[in-house]
Every structure is written in structure tokens, then in C-alpha cells.
Amino acid sequence: MTLIKSISGIRGTIGGAPDEGLNPLAIVKFTAAYATFIKTAKTTGSYNRVVVGRDARISGEMVRNLVAGTLTGMGLDVVDIGLATTPTTELAVVMEKACGGIIITASHNPKQWNALKLLNEQGEFLNADEGAEVLRIAENEEFSFSEVTSLGKIIPDHRYKERHIEQVLALELVDTDAIRAANFRVAIDCVNSVGGIVLPDLLYALGVKELFKLHCNPHGNFSHNPEPLPEHLTEISELMRQAKADVGFVVDPDVDRLAIICENGEMFGEEYTLVAISDYILSQTAGNTVSNLSSSRALRDVTLKHGGKYFAAAVGEVNVVAKMKECGAIIGGEGNGGIIYPASHYGRDALVGIALFLTYLAKKKLKTSELRATFPQYFMAKKRIELTPSIDVDGVLTKVKAKFAGNEITDIDGVKIDFPDKWVHLRKSNTEPIIRIYSEAHSKQEAETLGNEMIDIIREFCR
């Protein structure tokens, strides 16, 4: 059994002893700590209302009952929006003028996992200091439950799927007429979670005529590994060819990541989801972009092409959002297929990504593979090196930084070295003596070679 407590929430495998897994005791304790924090936070919303939504995991209803019961036991009203995507829950917090929200989802983790993701009154994830405070409250059990006359209540409201779709359709750069005229044939894989509830309704509302569905029954027994990586998406690749579909969309269980499949069954590339949508947004509106340090350089290239400025953020959605606000970015996100479009809200949203991508594809009048070929070609390699606990990982990264001091160095999150035609990013694990190494170049071989060379350098420094 596994239980991971971090500033972004609590996640783990269901079951186990009190300190070993995500069990009822851990869920109640952590929820009570969040309730204590959110009740004392300075908010402009309803001080006693929290939104709760969940994905379709097998354990979801059990966890929801514990979370809702604990929140009402802490004197908070719960707006229960039921089965809902992460971005839907984020939007619901704002629409409800609530003081916060909890999303019950383990994102791309397998079915035995679940998690609580914590939101502030803007429907955005807590920052590092806020998350640390929740952890401190939980650790010290600094919470007190309400007396019987002060208990909260549960308010069911299952209308937020429709409200989310309406909000997407109302975006200025979403053109339903263009999409309808294109007569797209679309395939989707929703990995047996909430995407199966919302994506068909969204696509039909956008004007898609023919839809081919894989794994849209939201029963939580994921039909394949739910992380939308190429090795897990062989079924939809074959469906694309058989159905002669124009484009395919794959989402993770909570629908904040978007992978795109070309008409020939080949991967568009998760890194290029953000690149393509940014290219469309920037072609219509001048502005800046942001992605995290481990995302493709192709976004920077596209941004400069349109006369904008590109900014890099530390890895993590909360860091990307903070940087976007700082530099006034009009589009941003992460290379895992996460689109953050402030005209909608500051959260990764696959629904927004689908609507904008279909609009762009319709306007360009290209096949999906042809659109993909218009972008700068980069390849990424991901490696890791395990070190002994006695090794000073920070000291190793300092030596790497010094060795490559003549290059462009970014050290806001590990060490990233930008060469003229490639880059490598080294990040240490917060929980174990591991350095993760991400590299990108114009060919797969170059990216792999760069990553391997960095491993050799690290080993040399460790001797």
C-alpha cells in the first residue's frame, strides 16, 4: 500500500493500515485539515461552501462519502456535483462563489489509486505555502468538528457538465460553424471514466457529425493504462484507420490532459497538443506563452514566429499558472497535453483543447497529420539515474551547472541547460535519491545521446 502526502494533496492506493494507504482514516484526517485551512483563509466567496466532484474510479463513491461527511462535520456546506472532470469542478467553484473545492481523482494513475486535489476560491490548486499548511494541520491534528447545531449540509447539483460545455461553446475563438462545415469524423477514447460522459455531448454540441467511441462507459475499470501515452493507445490507432476518422482524442480519467491521434493512426504527440493550440491562439491574438521547463522548445519557436514572448515555469500546474499571471500569457500549459487558456479559466482543460483544436483544423483545411507537419520537429528522451542515499544530489546539480556555465542555464527547478539546437533538464526527486533527465533535440538519436552523456557526467561527479 502507498500513501503520498504532498503540498498538492494526498494520494495513494486504496486500503491498508492507517499510515500505509489511502484509507478512511487518512481521508477524514486530511479533509478535516483542509476544511480548517479553508475556513480561516481570507476569501471573498461563500465562507462555508465547498464544491466536491469526482472521476469514475471504483473507489470514488466511498471517498466522496467520507469527504462530504467530513466537510459537513466541520460545519461546511458541500455542493456535490457528482461525476465531473477536474476542469468542470474548477469552474464550479467560481460559479458557486465557493471558498474552495476538492476533486476526488488520481488523474492518470491506475484504478487502485485515488487522491484528493485541493482548490482555492478561484478554482485553482493551492500554492506551496498553502499546501504545506494543510499538511501541518493534518500532522498535528489541529482541527475541531462542529456541534450538532452547526453541521453543514449537502447540496446536490449535477448541472455543471452542461454549464461547462456552454462555457466552452461561448469562447470567442471556438467556431462551431467552421467545425460543422468540416463534417469531421472523430474517434475518442475516454478510458472508462468521466470523459465518456462529457466528451460525446461536447463534440455533438460543437457540430461533429460522426463519432466513434472507445471505453466511454464510466465504470472505473480502466480498459488500459489510463496515462495517455503512445504505448497505451494502440486500440484507438487501429480504430482511426478502420473508421477513416479525421482526428482522435484521448483523455485521462479526470479529463485535464489531451492526446491527439492523426487520421493515419499515428500520434500527434502530447507535447504538440499545446503547440498546435497556441499556434491557433497566437494567429488570432498577439501575446505571450508559458510552459514548464520540461516541455518542448517548439512552443517557444511558435511564439517567436508570431511576435510574442515565451516564458518557462517550474514543473507543476500551479507554477505554470503563477508565471502566466505574472507575464500576462494568453495561452500556456504543460507538455503532457495540458492546455491552460485564461479566456476560459486558469486550469488544464481538455474540453477547451478539443474545441480550439477542431476549430483550427477546420480553418486550416488540412489533415491532422499535415497540420502536425507544419510545426518544428523535435524529439524528447526521458531518463533517470538512481544514486545512493549518501550522495549529495544538490551538490551534483551544482557541479553540472558550473560545468556548463557558458550556456544558457535555468535553475528555478533543478538545472536546465539550453544549447543552440537542443536542451537537457535535470530534476531531483523530492522523496528519493533520483535525478530525472529530460532531453530534446531535432532527432530521437540526438536526444537519447544527450541524455546518456548527462548520465555519464553525473556518475563521474559522484565518484
Side-chain angles (χ1 to χ4, degrees):
M1 295 296 172
T2 303
L3 181 63
I4 301 172
K5 304 172 186 177
S6 71
I7 57 174
S8 59
I10 186 171
R11 64 188 172 100
T13 52
I14 295 297
D19 292 324
E20 292 180 357
L22 190 65
N23 54 62
L25 290 177
I27 294 165
V28 169
K29 182 176 178 179
F30 196 75
T31 303
Y34 169 74
T36 300
F37 167 79
I38 211 71
K39 286 168 69 175
T40 57
K42 294 180 180 179
T43 66
T44 57
S46 171
Y47 76 96
N48 69 334
R49 178 170 292 194
V50 173
V51 174
V52 175
R54 68 179 180 92
D55 71 15
R57 289 169 186 275
I58 299 168
S59 60
E61 186 174 2
M62 179 272 287
V63 178
R64 173 265 174 207
N65 290 339
L66 290 164
V67 167
T70 303
L71 290 172
T72 57
M74 292 291 295
L76 293 166
D77 292 340
V78 175
V79 180
D80 178 13
I81 65 174
L83 290 172
T85 73
T86 282
T88 302
T89 309
E90 292 169 344
L91 285 168
V93 170
V94 177
M95 292 179 181
E96 287 288 334
K97 296 182 172 61
C99 61
I102 295 180
I103 311 165
I104 302 167
T105 176
S107 192
H108 61 269
N109 288 104
K111 66 180 181 181
Q112 65 268 31
W113 288 77
N114 214 329
L116 307 184
K117 294 184 177 181
L118 310 179
L119 303 175
N120 62 20
E121 65 172 326
Q122 283 83 38
E124 300 166 16
F125 293 118
L126 302 187
N127 63 33
D129 290 341
E130 293 166 339
E133 177 62 9
V134 173
L135 289 176
R136 189 197 65 78
I137 294 170
E139 181 67 25
N140 296 305
E141 296 188 358
E142 294 180 5
F143 44 79
S144 178
F145 295 97
S146 297
E147 297 180 1
V148 67
T149 54
S150 302
L151 297 176
K153 60 183 178 294
I154 296 176
I155 308 165
D157 190 340
H158 296 168
R159 298 171 295 170
Y160 274 97
K161 177 186 74 171
E162 289 76 19
R163 291 178 179 178
H164 189 176
I165 291 173
E166 289 170 1
Q167 196 253 28
V168 172
L169 296 177
L171 292 171
E172 184 179 353
L173 294 185
V174 172
D175 190 336
T176 55
D177 290 335
I179 296 171
R180 188 172 294 106
N183 291 312
F184 286 130
R185 296 163 63 87
V186 176
I188 57 174
D189 180 348
C190 298
V191 73
N192 305 116
S193 193
V194 292
I197 299 172
V198 66
L199 257 60
D201 287 357
L202 169 72
L203 288 163
Y204 287 132
L206 286 169
V208 170
K209 296 295 194 302
E210 294 185 85
L211 186 60
F212 305 91
K213 298 187 287 186
L214 272 179
H215 312 308
C216 287
N217 187 356
H219 50 60
N221 273 308
F222 304 144
S223 51
H224 56 76
N225 187 307
E227 187 166 14
L229 300 176
E231 57 267 31
H232 306 148
L233 305 180
T234 54
E235 281 184 275
I236 192 168
S237 290
E238 182 58 30
L239 177 61
M240 294 296 297
R241 292 185 284 265
Q242 291 179 358
K244 293 182 171 55
D246 298 298
V247 62
F249 297 116
V250 183
V251 292
D252 61 342
D254 66 327
V255 199
D256 62 356
R257 289 173 60 177
L258 175 64
I260 301 171
I261 318 296
C262 298
E263 80 290 343
N264 55 13
E266 295 180 358
M267 300 294 113
F268 195 85
E270 263 196 312
E271 290 287 337
Y272 283 82
T273 298
L274 176 59
V275 174
I277 292 168
S278 297
D279 192 42
Y280 171 51
I281 298 298
L282 293 168
S283 72
Q284 304 297 309
T285 310
N288 302 328
T289 66
V290 172
S291 66
N292 68 42
L293 285 172
S294 292
S295 298
S296 176
R297 184 181 282 185
L299 178 62
R300 187 190 71 174
D301 294 350
V302 165
T303 304
L304 295 176
K305 178 187 74 173
H306 289 288
K309 292 183 178 180
Y310 166 78
F311 297 87
V315 174
E317 181 175 331
V318 66
N319 298 316
V320 173
V321 167
K323 193 67 176 180
M324 290 179 69
K325 291 180 178 181
E326 177 188 322
C327 67
I330 60 172
I331 184 71
E334 298 182 289
N336 60 9
I339 302 299
I340 302 174
Y341 186 42
S344 174
H345 65 118
Y346 278 105
R348 295 183 301 178
D349 192 333
L351 278 70
V352 169
I354 287 170
L356 292 171
F357 185 85
L358 284 177
T359 299
Y360 196 32
L361 192 64
K363 290 179 178 292
K364 293 290 280 188
K365 294 181 169 59
L366 296 173
K367 292 181 179 179
T368 307
S369 61
E370 292 172 340
L371 178 61
R372 173 63 177 81
T374 64
F375 302 119
Q377 187 81 328
Y378 289 102
F379 296 86
M380 194 172 290
K382 299 179 181 181
K383 301 179 181 294
R384 56 186 271 172
I385 179 170
E386 297 186 17
L387 307 174
T388 62
S390 62
I391 290 176
D392 178 7
V393 178
D394 287 323
V396 170
L397 293 179
T398 298
K399 290 180 180 179
V400 171
K401 182 179 174 182
K403 180 178 178 64
F404 293 95
N407 299 276
E408 181 183 343
I409 303 286
T410 307
D411 58 3
I412 58 173
D413 183 7
V415 176
K416 183 176 182 180
I417 308 159
D418 271 290
F419 302 101
D421 58 346
K422 56 192 174 184
W423 59 261
V424 62
H425 183 202
L426 286 67
R427 299 183 70 234
K428 74 168 187 174
S429 168
N430 292 323
T431 58
E432 49 190 339
I434 288 174
I435 295 178
R436 304 186 192 280
I437 303 168
Y438 306 85
S439 54
E440 186 180 64
H442 286 294
S443 73
K444 186 68 174 176
Q445 182 178 352
E446 285 181 284
E448 293 282 352
T449 299
L450 179 58
N452 290 331
E453 288 175 350
M454 197 56 59
I455 288 175
D456 291 340
I457 290 170
I458 291 171
R459 284 177 174 154
E460 180 64 29
F461 285 148
C462 292
R463 290 197 181 106

